[in-house]
Amino acid sequence: MLPWRRALRALAAVLLITGAATTLAPAATADTTAPAATASVSRGWNDYDCEPSAAHPRPVVLVHGTFGNSVDNWLVLAPYLVARGYCVYSLDYGQLEGVPFFHGLGPIEKSAEQLDGFVDKVLASTGAKEADLVGHSQGGMMPRHYLKFLGGADKVNALIGLAPDNHGTTLLGLTRLLPYFPGVEDLLTTKTPALADQVAGSPFLTKLNAGGDTVPGVRYTVIATKYDEVVTPYRSQFLDGPGVRNVTVQDLCRADVSEHVAVGILDRVAHHEVANALDPAHATPSTCLS
């Protein structure tokens, strides 16, 4: 393995372990001492008192990946978006009984139902008519079931996927996530329906992709890295259909060496592209200095 790949793996693991050692309260709850005028900037994410602004009228729902959770996956991107004036929310889904921290393992259809309920909660809280979804890995693919089969297209303006496994991967690819999540390798010997659902050619993915990748009324953005070692080939992440923009971060910054985990949790170029996709009217070019 190249030295930079080792460094990225180590940094990603440190961030994930640090997040797992925290609880949702200190990482994402509101700062009740903050002035109301700066609520969207100072209160953090999962603030149910946040009121969307005229500039950013839609709340952003962050959807973690396999083995992730509502905090660890978003230690960088959530504050990045909050600082830009968005009301930002994240959920846990796909929990297995007796397995703390590491989620996204239950049947994906059931996880999509959890997303459905969470989006309804966010819309009710904010008074917004639609939300924008940003998901990493499984979290960029699973919402497509919600959009296509659970009525989500009426409640969602845009879906932005960071390294999503839209057309599946191999079980070998999924096991390559394990070094980033110490202590979860034994989960492969238990019942983990989400892993089976994500294998290329699975009944779940066959149903999801039948009749086209997209649904009308939703804008889709896929942000991929050519160094992805989990979802391969990386172009299998891309979607076909109207309202789709497929992006490879190396086309924007040739020096970007992020792989599957890093492109979701700490890649500056990818996060700038998320901001562009959320507000395309004010998009600015993404570069290595983004």
Side-chain angles (χ1 to χ4, degrees):
M1 183 184 298
L2 295 175
W4 56 262
R5 297 290 290 278
R6 293 194 190 99
L8 279 174
R9 286 177 181 270
L11 179 57
V14 167
L15 285 172
L16 290 164
I17 294 168
T18 300
T22 66
T23 64
L24 186 59
T29 55
D31 175 4
T32 57
T33 65
T38 60
S40 63
V41 173
S42 63
R43 288 192 172 190
W45 83 94
N46 281 342
D47 171 17
Y48 286 92
D49 291 324
C50 187
E51 296 181 6
S53 65
H56 302 304
R58 293 179 300 275
V60 178
V61 174
L62 304 177
V63 191
H64 65 74
T66 305
F67 299 126
N69 62 58
S70 61
V71 176
D72 292 1
N73 223 135
W74 309 120
L75 293 172
V76 177
L77 182 58
Y80 176 93
L81 295 176
V82 168
R84 283 155 179 74
Y86 289 93
C87 293
V88 180
Y89 304 86
S90 61
L91 77 156
D92 287 312
Y93 71 87
Q95 301 92 332
L96 291 181
E97 185 177 356
V99 180
F101 299 121
F102 305 109
H103 305 314
L105 298 172
I108 296 182
E109 289 187 2
K110 296 297 183 182
S111 294
E113 293 175 4
Q114 290 178 275
L115 176 62
D116 185 7
F118 188 80
V119 171
D120 285 349
K121 177 182 177 182
V122 168
L123 294 180
S125 171
T126 60
K129 294 183 179 179
E130 292 182 314
D132 290 323
L133 308 181
V134 180
H136 178 219
S137 193
Q138 180 190 162
M141 174 271 288
M142 176 270 281
R144 293 178 50 223
H145 181 89
Y146 163 58
L147 299 176
K148 193 169 188 177
F149 299 112
L150 301 179
D154 294 332
K155 307 171 188 177
V156 171
N157 168 71
L159 170 62
I160 303 161
L162 293 157
D165 52 347
N166 281 314
H167 298 96
T169 182
T170 63
L171 185 58
L172 177 60
L174 291 167
T175 62
R176 288 175 177 165
L177 285 169
L178 292 176
Y180 301 106
F181 303 93
V184 302
E185 190 163 2
D186 58 327
L187 289 177
L188 291 181
T189 63
T190 66
K191 188 176 182 181
T192 51
L195 299 185
D197 284 345
Q198 291 176 83
V199 172
S202 71
F204 171 81
L205 285 170
T206 299
K207 176 182 176 182
L208 177 65
N209 292 316
D213 292 346
T214 64
V215 296
V218 178
R219 290 189 296 107
Y220 295 83
T221 301
V222 173
I223 302 168
T225 170
K226 69 179 183 180
Y227 297 117
D228 199 310
E229 81 285 31
V230 175
V231 185
T232 58
Y234 74 91
R235 290 185 178 276
S236 69
Q237 301 170 27
F238 291 161
L239 296 172
D240 292 319
V244 171
R245 181 168 183 256
N246 295 310
V247 180
T248 304
V249 293
Q250 284 77 26
D251 290 341
L252 307 173
C253 173
R254 293 180 63 183
D256 194 310
V257 295
S258 294
E259 39 61 75
H260 183 81
V261 172
V263 80
I265 67 171
L266 51 82
D267 187 275
R268 293 173 60 90
V269 178
H271 290 176
H272 189 261
E273 279 300 296
V274 169
N276 283 344
L278 290 172
D279 189 6
H282 298 95
T284 58
S286 295
T287 70
C288 295
L289 301 178
S290 293

